[in-house]
Amino acid sequence: MNSDKDLSYILNHLGEERERYFNAVSPPIIQSSNFAFPDLASFRNAIKDELENTIYTRGANPTVNILRKKLAALESTEDALVLGSGAAAIAAAVIANVSAGDHIVCVESPYSWTYTLLTKFLPRFGVTADFVDGRDVEAIEKAILPNTKILFLESPTTFYFDLQDLEKCAGIARKHGLKTIIDNSYSSPYFQNPAKFGIDIVVHSATKYINGHSDVVAGVICASTEDIRKIFNIEYMTLGAIISPHDAALMMRGLRTLPIRMQRSHDSALKVVKWLAKHPKVEKVLFPFHESFGQQDLVQKQMRGAGGLFSFFLKSKERQDAEDFFHVLKAFLFAVSWGGHESLIIPTVAFHGIEGRPNPDTPVNMFRIYIGLEDPDYLIADLAQALDRI
Ligand SMILES: *Cc1c(COP(=O)(O)O)cnc(C)c1O
């Protein structure tokens, strides 16, 4: 009870100093850009540490600070930063740990804008990257060069759900003096905590499960006090990709129900996956917690659940069948992103041939589905009627 390790305590009480604001149950939204000082001495004292003292909201803000404490505790790290998007969190964490002439090893098929950061943005500043199959620990070690500084992971990846062995990757990185960064958006802090396997920096697109209501774009960086301070002092303060106090309050509201939403999405997804896997018109399903998924040992070791995201393939490889199936679905919205209340589908052909959107080499019969909070039987009935059309 009442410890940073107790999930109920973290979500409902940690960081909330209610006696300071009229014992309000929900914390106030401190919608203020700056904070006044009574005298020179207190200002001089505060300005020495912009992370710990509220001076200006591009640095620290009391509403955002509550979230920082909760997120750090959820990931079992010493501290956390909340940013204006997952992309900002990834960029800040990566840029903080490289200089001109350095090299990054990254898993194959990372999130598309991570790929753009590593292949288009950083090369302009003399930083290069190589991409390796993350399932192959030896391949990761072989890709490390004398100037490598970061091992960037995303486990599981968000189209094929390939896992990396976090403990082994952390060990290799330590041996070679690299910083490990992982994009943990797929699992959320509820189902996977990479820091417990020795990963240094855990980033999230909080737009997905952490906020969970498809109404805020935000990102998170969780790491040691030292790593967070380093990122805060340069990248966080200069890039300025902060979250507004209002969005932070929305995110906190979303976070309260994280365990309930995650479990519901996971259970419903598993039910839909099992139904799809048995359907005669379906070739295969990719979901870490389905028995057909390859890396079972690693799934059991690292993850406590998966949430609602999976991919599946129609048996028919005809483009017309893929489009007919997709167009008659009624319960699934056609949209990017995931992690909200609403179920979604993306036919991966939607990305085919689009310049500047590096995506895995996806076949026409592949779909990515996100299962939200609806009744799974309602979703299955919709898939059933759509599969009947082809
Ligand atoms: C959405 C997403 C991101 C980017 O997050 P934004 O909040 O959209 O900037 C990064 N990684 C993964 C795996 C994502 O799904």
Side-chain angles (χ1 to χ4, degrees):
M1 291 291 287
N2 284 17
S3 106
D4 287 11
K5 293 189 173 56
D6 186 333
L7 185 62
S8 296
Y9 173 73
I10 295 168
L11 295 178
N12 294 289
H13 304 294
L14 180 67
E16 299 183 61
E17 300 168 67
R18 296 192 169 104
E19 66 287 356
R20 293 180 68 182
Y21 37 83
F22 311 104
N23 293 309
V25 168
S26 294
I29 305 171
I30 309 290
Q31 191 75 28
S32 186
S33 57
N34 49 356
F35 299 84
F37 290 85
D39 50 45
L40 263 176
S42 60
F43 179 83
R44 285 197 175 119
N45 197 40
I47 200 81
K48 286 182 205 147
D49 189 348
E50 289 216 39
L51 179 59
E52 287 311 317
N53 298 304
T54 45
I55 299 163
Y56 185 57
T57 284
R58 178 156 44 74
N61 173 278
T63 308
V64 178
N65 277 348
I66 302 173
L67 265 180
R68 285 178 49 211
K69 293 201 177 91
K70 289 185 191 295
L71 292 162
L74 285 175
E75 280 293 12
S76 299
T77 57
E78 288 172 347
D79 203 351
L81 291 172
V82 184
L83 294 93
S85 70
I90 292 166
V94 169
I95 293 169
N97 288 288
V98 282
S99 301
D102 289 345
H103 174 254
I104 297 169
V105 174
C106 181
V107 290
E108 241 163 40
S109 312
Y111 176 68
S112 55
W113 296 106
T114 302
Y115 187 77
T116 303
L117 175 74
L118 301 189
T119 58
K120 297 274 197 316
F121 183 101
L122 288 175
R124 284 168 32 208
F125 304 94
V127 177
T128 55
D130 281 308
F131 298 84
V132 289
D133 183 342
R135 292 168 299 182
D136 185 347
V137 181
E138 281 172 24
I140 290 177
E141 187 156 23
K142 272 198 204 122
I144 296 171
L145 304 173
N147 57 337
T148 305
K149 292 286 157 57
I150 292 174
L151 174 57
F152 193 99
L153 307 173
E154 189 181 314
S155 180
T157 55
T158 57
F159 272 89
Y160 284 96
F161 312 107
D162 293 334
L163 274 68
Q164 297 106 59
D165 187 323
L166 302 186
E167 196 172 20
K168 284 194 182 148
C169 285
I172 290 170
R174 249 193 315 275
K175 188 169 119 194
H176 294 271
L178 320 184
K179 197 62 90 180
T180 38
I181 305 177
I182 187 169
D183 183 336
N184 198 30
S185 306
Y186 176 86
S187 305
S188 89
Y190 184 66
F191 279 143
Q192 178 171 273
N193 301 118
K196 291 186 176 164
F197 297 97
I199 302 296
D200 299 313
I201 301 176
V202 182
V203 294
H204 284 277
S205 167
T207 313
K208 312 296 161 53
Y209 291 121
I210 291 175
N211 180 63
H213 291 71
S214 305
D215 53 8
V216 170
V217 174
V220 175
I221 305 174
C222 298
S224 66
T225 307
E226 192 186 342
D227 279 334
I228 289 293
R229 230 169 226 291
K230 180 174 161 168
I231 296 167
F232 177 83
N233 285 339
I234 311 275
E235 287 72 21
Y236 188 90
M237 287 303 286
T238 58
L239 299 176
I242 61 158
I243 188 174
S244 77
H246 186 266
D247 279 356
L250 281 174
M251 196 169 141
M252 192 142 23
R253 182 172 68 170
L255 194 62
R256 307 271 192 209
T257 55
L258 181 75
I260 298 166
R261 291 185 286 103
M262 291 308 296
Q263 200 59 55
R264 167 78 173 183
S265 274
H266 174 90
D267 293 344
S268 300
L270 191 57
K271 187 166 185 182
V272 175
V273 161
K274 283 181 175 164
W275 181 85
L276 275 174
K278 287 197 190 114
H279 196 285
K281 289 182 182 165
V282 171
E283 182 188 59
K284 66 171 171 176
V285 184
L286 292 177
F287 183 63
F289 281 77
H290 188 253
E291 59 196 19
S292 64
F293 191 80
Q295 297 172 290
Q296 275 310 313
D297 289 350
L298 219 42
V299 170
Q300 295 305 326
K301 181 181 168 193
Q302 297 177 178
M303 303 172 73
R304 299 182 291 275
L309 202 66
F310 66 87
S311 295
F312 83 98
F313 300 73
L314 291 176
K315 260 189 197 144
S316 167
K317 312 248 181 326
E318 299 297 324
R319 195 184 185 102
Q320 195 58 50
D321 282 339
E323 292 191 7
D324 288 350
F325 159 78
F326 166 71
H327 278 131
V328 297
L329 285 168
K330 292 185 184 70
F332 293 81
L333 297 176
F334 170 31
V336 298
S337 195
W338 40 274
H341 53 88
E342 75 290 4
S343 290
L344 306 168
I345 186 162
I346 288 195
T348 57
V349 286
F351 294 111
H352 281 189
I354 295 178
E355 195 61 37
R357 287 305 301 251
N359 244 86
D361 193 13
T362 48
V364 294
N365 59 332
M366 182 180 186
F367 296 82
R368 191 183 76 176
I369 280 191
Y370 166 68
I371 301 295
L373 305 178
E374 304 92 333
D375 183 340
D377 292 330
Y378 162 77
L379 300 172
I380 287 172
D382 193 37
L383 290 167
Q385 64 84 19
L387 285 167
D388 283 348
R389 300 291 184 95
I390 60 168

